[in-house]
Amino acid sequence: MQDPDPLPWGALDRFQAHFIVKKDSGTAVGNFVAKTKLTTKGHFAAKTVQKVEWVGAGSLSSKLNADDELNEMIAKQSIKDATIYVEPTDGAIRIRNKWNNHLAFGITKELFDIYDRIAGHIKSV
């Protein structure tokens, strides 16, 4: 029997914007790993972000947790946009969010301001 809903072949329309901060993490890779942990309210489409906390073992996550204005800015975003990852790569630190399709892909001014503020904290570590 043939599958009534076949999977598409080839590349899918999923995109992800990466913001790269030129900073070498050296041997202290763990200092530059952080992820948002969201406290939410509501269900399904009405789900909203109430509180943002940064999870990570290094000093970057403690700096990001101390910035209340940044966390308030992130809490105003959607669940998908409020999920932010910070991780080191070869010779740089990457800031990214979740994958989006071609219709939802884009960066608003508010998101750019959030990423710019995170990049400032990365530079100060």
Side-chain angles (χ1 to χ4, degrees):
M1 178 168 199
Q2 186 175 359
D3 186 7
D5 195 17
L7 292 173
W9 294 94
L12 297 176
D13 66 336
R14 299 286 184 253
F15 303 98
Q16 193 176 50
H18 292 232
F19 290 82
I20 306 296
V21 180
K22 293 212 175 211
K23 176 157 180 133
D24 190 17
S25 61
T27 59
V29 174
N31 275 343
F32 296 100
V33 176
K35 178 190 179 301
T36 54
K37 180 181 174 187
L38 307 175
T39 304
T40 59
K41 181 180 180 182
H43 298 285
F44 306 113
K47 188 181 258 192
T48 58
V49 179
Q50 298 296 308
K51 183 181 173 192
V52 177
E53 180 183 351
W54 289 89
V55 178
S59 58
L60 177 62
S61 60
S62 60
K63 278 189 175 245
L64 293 171
N65 277 324
D67 190 348
D68 293 330
E69 188 177 341
L70 170 66
N71 294 331
E72 288 174 16
M73 290 167 60
I74 296 171
K76 293 177 185 173
Q77 302 299 315
S78 67
I79 300 286
K80 197 165 195 161
D81 288 337
T83 305
I84 301 171
Y85 303 91
V86 179
E87 54 205 11
T89 61
D90 294 332
I93 311 296
R94 174 176 45 204
I95 306 168
R96 66 176 180 88
N97 62 357
K98 290 190 168 191
W99 293 91
N100 289 315
N101 65 15
H102 69 286
L103 298 173
F105 182 71
I107 299 297
T108 62
K109 182 185 179 325
E110 291 81 18
L111 273 177
F112 183 81
D113 291 341
I114 289 169
Y115 293 150
D116 188 47
R117 196 166 182 129
I118 294 170
H121 287 296
I122 290 171
K123 288 283 193 176
S124 70
V125 171

